[in-house]
Structures are given as structure tokens and as C-alpha cells.
Amino acid sequence: MNMDPSSTNSINGFYNFLTRGIDDLERVFLSNNFMSIQFLQRALSLLRSFHSQLTLLVQKLHLPLGEKWLDEYMSESSKLWGACHVLKAGISSMENFYTAGLNIASSLDGNHHISPQLSRQMIRAISGCHRRAIGLEEENRALVETRIEALCLRFDERVSIESKLNGYYGFGGVLYAMRNVSSVLLMILLCGLVYCWPESSFLRGGYEGRVIFGSAFMVSTGRLQQRIADEINQIHGRRGILMYEFGRSKAAMDELRAELERQGGVMEWESEVEVRERVENLRGYFGVLRSGTENIVGQLDDFLDEIVEGRKRIKDFSSRR
């Protein structure tokens, strides 16, 4: 996302930056498959941009010494740091799953003659890969239940304009905006990459407080949240990892297994077009899953470093003033 210098020079500029970013993300959401890896990568990139701009903005504002704005900033950045560690832990566990899937494709691709014994071996391997997927989702469910609920990632439903938005020379509103926008982006990432649970406030809605004196960024954020919640509810609030490529990888394994079971006997690789197509589909989806998750893990590593550096910079800046 292109940086506008005005986003770090004024509070209104920062709000405009939030609005443009969320609107751009909504366009990516509408032009891609639901919870695609491209959309999730963009959501994480946007979260990083917002945090970076907030850190720069703090250094331009003349905030009072010894007030609670620094405590609130530190509290919110600490929650962000904790949520990113959960994201990294959840998505890093994906490696065993996509490695097993790519091994299945390689095992078939390297054999010109597919014997009944090899077919049975691959069918068992597919079943084992499905068990890995189930185990991954169960581990991630436990991760979410034990570490995310305590972070209270949700919109504030009722806000005292005087105390929340105008406090700290307007910086209270910036913190409020960042908290709410970050909560929505983190919930999107958690549902797509780690585990989606119907009991989350993200799916229950109830964000009556999202339109604050006509603030565009809250309208945009509320609209994006509602679009995604509606999509999830259309699939009956399905639990688990909602990333599109994760679901398609599992479906590709089922399609390959069905074709191997249908063929039964000895197969010649060159002449079995259907089997080759199924293997290519499987390799393609698992390849995208691998490259996409590796990219996100790399982004998360960088973001965690940026959060730590931002906290140090703001603390040092505050103490020098």
C-alpha cells in the first residue's frame, strides 16, 4: 500500500489512511476466492502498514508527558504482539500437512507404472494426510481457546466520545481506531489461517458502536466485517481453517483418491490422463499453500520485530521529551 506523507503528519490523515486501506482490502476480498491466500496476505500487510504509520504519527504529535496514552499504546501493542505469535504458531504447523501432500504428488509423478500396490499405498498416504489436517485444526482450536479469548479482539460497542476519542489531544481517537481496525484484521487472519469458531464476537456481530459521528474508517471496517461474517454464516458458521487453498488441497486429495480407486489395476502414467490431471491439481494447490504460508510466516517474523522496535522507539521518544 502506497504511503501518503499526510498519514503521519495529522490525525485526520491517519484516519484517511485507515479508510483507504480497508476499502482496498474490501476490493481484494470481492475479487478473489473467499479467504484466499492473496486476501490474507494483503490483510497482514495492511495491519503492518497501520502499525508502522501509527508509530510514526506518535512522534509527530505533541503528546503530554506522564499521561496514560503511553500505557494504552503499550497495552494495545502487547495484545497485537501476542495475537501475532498465535498466528505464527498456528500457520507454522501447516508445514507437515503440505509436505505430506507434495510427497504424494512426487511419489506418483516419479512412477511410469502405477501398480495396484502403489495405488493402495497412495490411498493410505492420502488418508494419513487427511488425519494430519484434522489434527492440525484440533491443535489450532486449543491454541485459540487458550490464548485468543483473553485478548478480547472486538469492537467497542459503546464509546464515550469525550474520554475515548478526544483524549490525549485527539490521540485517544487514534488508539480507538487502531484497536478496532486491528481487531477485525486479526480476526480475519485467525479465521483464515488458524481456526474459526462460531462463538467469536466476530461472527455474532453486535457492533452498534461502529459508526462514530460518521467516521469513514469505522463505516468501512464495519462493512468489511459484515461481508466476511455473512460469508462464514452462509457456510453455517463452519469451524476450522477457512483458507481457500487449504480446503482445495483437501478436495484435490479426495479427487485423486477417487480416481485411483476407480482405476484399480495397473496404470501407465503417460496414458492415464485423468490421474495425471488429478496429480497436477494436487501439486498445484499444495504448492500455492506452501509458498503462501511461507510468505505469511516471513511477514509475521518481520512484523513481530517491527512491534518490538516500535514499542522501544515510542518509549524512548516519550522519555526524551
Side-chain angles (χ1 to χ4, degrees):
M1 183 177 178
N2 293 329
M3 300 296 182
D4 182 348
S6 67
S7 65
T8 62
N9 291 331
S10 72
I11 288 174
N12 284 337
F14 181 75
Y15 289 154
N16 291 335
F17 182 70
L18 290 180
T19 304
R20 289 196 305 274
I22 292 296
D23 287 346
D24 287 344
L25 184 62
E26 184 180 13
R27 284 190 282 272
V28 174
F29 173 76
L30 294 173
S31 62
N32 285 275
N33 292 307
F34 177 63
M35 286 293 184
S36 69
I37 196 74
Q38 293 91 341
F39 169 69
L40 295 168
Q41 287 170 336
R42 182 67 68 88
L44 178 55
S45 177
L46 190 61
L47 185 60
R48 291 178 65 188
S49 295
F50 289 165
H51 177 266
S52 174
Q53 294 300 289
L54 175 65
T55 304
L56 292 172
L57 177 62
V58 170
Q59 298 172 71
K60 297 291 180 68
L61 300 177
H62 298 287
L63 298 172
L65 292 174
E67 293 205 15
K68 294 171 64 176
W69 68 266
L70 180 60
D71 292 338
E72 288 196 25
Y73 170 83
M74 288 296 179
S75 175
E76 292 305 318
S77 59
S78 178
K79 288 181 182 179
L80 183 60
W81 188 83
C84 286
H85 268 288
V86 174
L87 284 169
K88 184 182 175 183
I91 196 171
S92 295
S93 301
M94 190 82 70
E95 182 178 359
N96 289 336
F97 172 70
Y98 64 65
T99 299
L102 289 169
N103 286 341
I104 292 169
S106 298
S107 296
L108 286 170
D109 198 10
N111 283 273
H112 297 292
H113 305 283
I114 302 176
S115 66
Q117 180 182 7
L118 180 59
S119 288
R120 290 192 296 271
Q121 182 181 343
M122 291 300 98
I123 289 169
R124 288 194 298 271
I126 289 171
S127 297
C129 200
H130 271 299
R131 287 193 296 272
R132 287 179 186 271
I134 294 170
L136 170 63
E137 291 188 302
E138 283 300 305
E139 290 174 5
N140 285 1
R141 178 183 63 80
L143 188 65
V144 164
E145 288 178 350
T146 56
R147 294 177 60 182
I148 289 297
E149 292 292 344
L151 295 179
C152 298
L153 301 178
R154 58 177 301 161
F155 276 179
D156 283 343
E157 295 183 18
R158 294 178 178 82
V159 180
S160 166
I161 292 178
E162 181 64 31
S163 63
K164 293 290 187 181
L165 303 183
N166 294 334
Y168 323 132
Y169 297 82
F171 190 62
V174 171
L175 288 172
Y176 172 79
M178 192 63 187
R179 176 167 59 250
N180 286 286
V181 172
S182 294
S183 290
V184 169
L185 293 177
L186 286 169
M187 292 300 293
I188 288 170
L189 291 166
L190 286 164
C191 282
L193 301 172
V194 183
Y195 192 83
C196 184
W197 64 110
E199 296 83 1
S200 72
S201 59
F202 184 74
L203 298 184
R204 290 199 304 268
Y207 301 124
E208 295 86 353
R210 64 174 173 259
V211 182
I212 305 297
F213 49 78
S215 54
F217 73 89
M218 293 300 281
V219 174
S220 295
T221 305
R223 185 174 60 239
L224 176 63
Q225 178 273 330
Q226 194 60 55
R227 284 189 186 279
I228 294 174
D230 289 346
E231 287 277 356
I232 295 175
N233 288 327
Q234 281 183 12
I235 52 177
H236 308 294
R238 186 173 70 81
R239 297 172 180 268
I241 300 169
L242 300 188
M243 189 202 311
Y244 174 77
E245 287 76 11
F246 180 72
R248 280 303 303 148
S249 295
K250 293 190 293 182
M253 288 194 298
D254 289 336
E255 292 163 4
L256 175 58
R257 175 166 55 191
E259 190 61 31
L260 291 173
E261 291 172 344
R262 187 180 70 83
Q263 294 288 350
V266 177
M267 291 173 276
E268 297 295 327
W269 176 253
E270 294 300 327
S271 62
E272 293 297 338
V273 177
E274 293 293 328
V275 173
R276 289 209 316 273
E277 287 182 351
R278 299 292 185 273
V279 172
E280 285 305 313
N281 285 340
L282 186 145
R283 179 185 291 108
Y285 281 115
F286 272 100
V288 171
L289 184 64
R290 177 179 63 184
S291 61
T293 54
E294 288 176 348
N295 173 275
I296 287 177
V297 168
Q299 276 207 65
L300 285 168
D301 281 336
D302 291 341
F303 191 22
L304 287 165
D305 290 341
E306 290 164 9
I307 293 170
V308 172
E309 178 60 29
R311 285 166 58 87
K312 181 178 183 300
R313 188 182 306 167
I314 296 304
K315 194 170 183 179
D316 291 345
F317 173 78
S318 175
S319 64
R320 288 198 304 268
R321 291 189 61 244

